[in-house]
Amino acid sequence: MSFDAARFKREERAGYNLIAARYAESAALRASLNAALIGAADLRPGQLVLDLASGPGVLAGEAARRVGDGLVVASDIAEGALAEGRRRATQDNLLCAAADAERLAFR
């Protein structure tokens, strides 16, 4: 049996759409990992950031806080996860784009 990439993406999308709210709520369990990832990114005010496979935007939200007047785009194949992220977002500089990371429409 060969790997069916299209089927895999459909199933991943459907699964993450189902668990988006619970995934966002459990972010505190990954607080040290999230802090390490954000710290490693060395974000600065004014930067433009693209968060691929953002899910409900937990890291994107923190990135938006760090870049201040910059811009963060949270992108994920699961539009339900992004909708959860939009619902929770408090930053004006955070945009969400439902997209396949292998076929992004922007540069």
Side-chain angles (χ1 to χ4, degrees), residues 21-72:
R22 286 181 298 213
Y23 186 85
E25 290 165 1
S26 68
L29 299 174
R30 298 178 302 281
S32 61
L33 173 61
N34 294 348
L37 291 170
I38 290 292
D42 194 27
L43 300 173
R44 307 269 186 224
Q47 285 184 312
L48 304 177
V49 176
L50 173 60
D51 181 7
L52 291 174
S54 186
V58 173
L59 293 173
E62 180 58 29
R65 282 187 280 283
R66 300 237 179 159
V67 300
D69 61 346
L71 176 67
V72 174

